[in-house]
Amino acid sequence: MNMTKKRFRSKTRQNPFLWLTPILLVMIAVAVIPLNLFLLQMPEWISIIISCAILAAAVIMWVKLRRKTVGKIIISFFCLFGIALSLFGSYCNPYWNSVIFYSDAAYWYCREYDSELTYAQAKADLDYVMKYLKKLHPAFYDGIPAEIQRRYEDAVSAFEQADKITVNKAAQEIQSMCFLLSDAHTDIALNYTDARYMKYFYGHSEAGDILQGINGMTWEQLLDTSSFCHDKVSYEVKSYGKERLLRYVNTLQGLDYLGISVKDGVVYNYETKDGEKIDRKVTETDFVTYEEYVEFNNIENSTDEEYRFVSYEINKEKNAAVLTLDECNYNSEYINTLKKMFGEIKEQGITNVAVDLRNNGGGNSLVADELFKYLDIDSFKTGSYDWRLGCFMFKTSPTVIANEKYEDLLFNGKLYLLTSNYSFSSAMLFAEFVKDNGLGTIIGEAPGNDPNGYGEISVFRLPNSGAIVQISTKHFRRVDNKSGLIEPDIPCEEQEALDYFYKECE
């Protein structure tokens, strides 16, 4: 009798453990996903281990527990959900192992440009990029494009034959593979921890001098010459390719990446605002640390004035308001700024509004939707996209979005957009929606990427060089399947766009 009681008590004590184990494992499976997104990188196969553990716990529960079938069925469905979520969260999640949500700034900087990598390290970085291209990029959904495969093999061969592989050399080979996609969003970025800046760069910029090229070669020639910068940056529009080159030519490390030697000096070709040609020859000693750069150019590092990505100005005399939007951040600051601006526009009877996107590199396209709520339109059309989610391709159709108008602040005047070749990604989408829905007039230059192109990036840090690679996960199609860039209605140089807007207000 005592033995029976002991067995009963033993079985009772086991029951909670058998019930709780699969539940706890599912909770771990779910917790691993945000842990990876915000804090810790880990291999995808960790989800297979967790899934096997969940499955094993569920089987043991069914074998050991003789009764409570309904409860076991419920927990089994819960386990299946956990397994599906775990596998999808790693193998289909476009942000698995991405650093896009990481707050630690150290993740965004690479090793020194001339640091040496072994063949194994360089190839591992190349394979890392190829792995996530195959997993995420829409162009790889049906397999590796033949030209990409050939370029990959050429890069491996180059590593094998190289006497020395530096961080910049590895980055050049990797970028040459990304370049073939004709995708401005899929690109390598080298943020150097100890960059050396060309000390005269700031002075020329402040004087209004425009850099026309390097060593007598124009930007177009540099982009077209394979021995120089031909495949060192990704672009869809050459004018935007120039902008990409500009982020490298002002540093010693960046010039090395582009294949431009400073050993015997390098010549920067400028044109003044008066049209005069100026050549500035510099040597390695003219490249200084950031602190020396600031001191040399007497730059005041004021922390008193907080940077604002969105602001506006109302010119009552010209009957105009200008919203300057340097980033497509859809947040409370943007929403509140719009509300305040359109409130003042209504009070003062302003009938011309310009949105200045000339320095906007993108972000969240919902900024356009929010501004449209102040327009007296019932709906607007958007394009469609294919979204790569691992082994799945999620396809959308063109959409007509109902406009949730702010009836008390509706604007019935004329809308203008000021754009440049630096207006990119979501800034381009803003212009696309305005252009293709006939909502306003675009002034300036065509934005820097193709509306029938790629976007929605995931960002990765390469394990050995520390270089950052961003990879597109979506393929977009323009409203009504139109082709071509978003050409301005009033074409002009970007610096003249505001003047042209004010002329339209007269």
Side-chain angles (χ1 to χ4, degrees):
M1 184 68 178
N2 289 337
M3 184 64 70
T4 302
K5 288 182 178 179
K6 286 181 179 179
R7 287 177 178 171
F8 178 77
R9 285 197 297 270
S10 176
K11 183 178 179 181
T12 303
R13 284 195 298 270
Q14 289 176 12
N15 286 347
F17 177 76
L18 294 173
W19 289 111
L20 288 174
T21 298
I23 295 174
L24 289 173
L25 286 171
V26 170
M27 292 174 66
I28 291 172
V30 173
V32 162
I33 297 172
L35 181 67
N36 177 269
L37 292 179
F38 296 101
L39 190 63
L40 184 65
Q41 293 182 308
M42 58 190 78
E44 283 90 344
W45 51 255
I46 195 72
S47 64
I48 295 178
I49 293 176
I50 296 173
S51 298
C52 290
I54 294 171
L55 186 61
V59 170
I60 292 172
M61 177 191 69
W62 274 95
V63 172
K64 292 291 186 180
L65 295 178
R66 303 292 182 183
R67 299 179 180 178
K68 300 186 179 179
T69 303
V70 174
K72 289 191 289 185
I73 291 174
I74 293 173
I75 291 180
S76 296
F77 275 110
F78 186 64
C79 288
L80 291 174
F81 168 77
I83 291 172
L85 187 63
S86 179
L87 294 173
F88 186 87
S90 58
Y91 285 94
C92 300
N93 176 8
Y95 305 110
W96 181 267
N97 279 343
S98 172
V99 298
I100 196 168
F101 303 117
Y102 281 32
S103 58
D104 187 351
Y107 277 100
W108 297 90
Y109 288 90
C110 64
R111 290 173 57 183
E112 287 301 309
Y113 77 108
D114 54 357
S115 297
E116 291 192 35
L117 303 176
T118 65
Y119 163 78
Q121 289 175 323
K123 186 175 183 299
D125 277 7
L126 178 67
D127 289 341
Y128 193 88
V129 175
M130 180 63 89
K131 170 186 174 180
Y132 285 102
L133 284 171
K134 291 192 293 184
K135 176 183 178 181
L136 299 177
H137 200 283
F140 286 71
Y141 185 64
D142 294 321
I144 304 173
E147 61 178 354
I148 300 293
Q149 181 62 41
R150 286 194 294 269
R151 189 63 197 87
Y152 167 83
E153 293 167 359
D154 289 344
V156 173
S157 178
F159 290 152
E160 289 174 336
Q161 298 172 21
D163 296 328
K164 182 174 73 171
I165 306 172
T166 64
V167 166
N168 269 359
K169 171 61 177 175
Q172 288 172 350
E173 295 297 332
I174 292 169
Q175 171 57 28
S176 69
M177 186 172 66
C178 297
F179 168 80
L180 294 176
L181 290 165
S182 298
D183 171 10
H185 283 86
T186 298
D187 191 41
I188 199 164
L190 295 159
N191 302 310
Y192 303 104
T193 54
D194 190 26
R196 293 292 192 272
Y197 297 87
M198 199 276 273
K199 62 183 181 181
Y200 306 111
F201 207 85
Y202 180 83
H204 283 289
S205 178
E206 286 295 287
D209 300 337
I210 304 298
L211 185 60
Q212 300 292 328
I214 302 288
N215 288 339
M217 299 182 70
T218 66
W219 296 115
E220 186 162 332
Q221 289 172 328
L222 288 167
L223 288 170
D224 286 341
T225 306
S226 59
S227 60
F228 284 92
C229 312
H230 168 65
D231 55 3
K232 304 300 191 301
V233 293
S234 295
Y235 59 92
E236 297 158 27
V237 182
K238 277 191 176 179
S239 57
Y240 188 72
K242 166 196 166 184
E243 297 295 335
R244 285 284 173 89
L245 290 181
L246 276 170
R247 76 182 181 190
Y248 289 116
V249 298
N250 69 329
T251 67
L252 180 68
Q253 291 88 339
L255 288 171
D256 179 83
Y257 167 71
L258 295 177
I260 300 174
S261 173
V262 298
K263 183 178 180 181
D264 298 320
V266 59
V267 179
Y268 289 76
N269 310 121
Y270 285 97
E271 182 178 309
T272 70
K273 56 186 177 183
D274 297 324
E276 180 185 355
K277 305 291 185 181
I278 297 177
D279 290 336
R280 165 79 71 173
K281 184 174 182 178
V282 298
T283 62
E284 191 169 341
T285 58
D286 293 310
F287 292 85
V288 296
T289 66
Y290 180 72
E291 290 74 18
E292 292 169 333
Y293 181 81
V294 169
E295 182 179 359
F296 179 82
N297 290 287
N298 296 315
I299 300 172
E300 294 184 8
N301 271 338
S302 176
T303 57
D304 297 333
E305 187 175 343
E306 184 181 357
Y307 165 74
R308 295 194 64 195
F309 73 93
V310 59
S311 60
Y312 70 91
E313 181 178 314
I314 293 180
N315 189 322
K316 179 67 174 177
E317 181 180 342
K318 295 183 180 293
N319 186 26
V322 178
L323 176 76
T324 301
L325 185 62
D326 290 337
E327 297 174 14
C328 290
N329 289 337
Y330 182 68
N331 56 20
S332 58
E333 181 180 356
Y334 175 73
I335 292 171
N336 292 335
T337 299
L338 279 189
K339 183 176 182 180
K340 184 178 179 182
M341 182 186 76
F342 279 104
E344 292 185 29
I345 285 172
K346 184 173 183 178
E347 286 180 10
Q348 300 186 37
I350 301 296
T351 60
N352 297 284
V353 171
V355 181
D356 190 347
L357 302 173
R358 288 176 293 174
N359 293 306
N360 193 313
N364 192 330
S365 62
L366 286 177
V367 295
D369 299 41
E370 184 66 21
L371 186 134
F372 293 164
K373 293 177 182 179
Y374 292 91
L375 305 183
D376 193 8
I377 57 173
D378 296 324
S379 62
F380 59 94
K381 297 181 292 184
T382 66
S384 59
Y385 60 82
D386 298 338
W387 193 11
R388 179 78 186 278
L389 300 174
C391 58
F392 301 103
M393 185 75 87
F394 178 71
K395 296 178 178 286
T396 69
S397 300
T399 305
V400 176
I401 298 178
N403 192 31
E404 300 175 3
K405 295 183 283 188
Y406 295 131
E407 297 287 353
D408 55 335
L409 290 176
L410 285 182
F411 173 71
N412 291 300
K414 294 181 179 179
L415 176 67
Y416 298 84
L417 257 61
L418 313 183
T419 60
S420 73
N421 52 50
Y422 188 74
S423 304
F424 187 72
S425 195
S426 289
M428 181 280 296
L429 285 176
F430 201 142
E432 176 189 334
F433 297 160
V434 169
K435 177 87 170 180
D436 291 344
N437 285 279
L439 302 179
T441 301
I442 299 177
I443 303 174
E445 301 167 336
N449 63 301
D450 191 336
N452 293 297
Y454 300 101
E456 192 66 41
I457 61 170
S458 194
V459 181
F460 301 91
R461 187 175 194 265
L462 302 189
N464 298 302
S465 65
I468 292 294
V469 172
Q470 60 181 43
I471 295 175
S472 295
T473 65
K474 288 182 179 178
H475 182 242
F476 292 91
R477 285 179 293 276
R478 187 174 174 182
V479 174
D480 296 332
N481 286 319
K482 295 178 181 178
S483 61
L485 302 180
I486 308 301
E487 297 292 350
D489 301 295
I490 303 176
C492 65
E493 297 291 328
E494 63 165 303
Q495 61 269 24
E496 301 174 338
L498 189 60
D499 292 333
Y500 272 82
F501 164 65
Y502 284 134
K503 288 179 181 178
E504 291 293 307
C505 297
E506 293 174 357

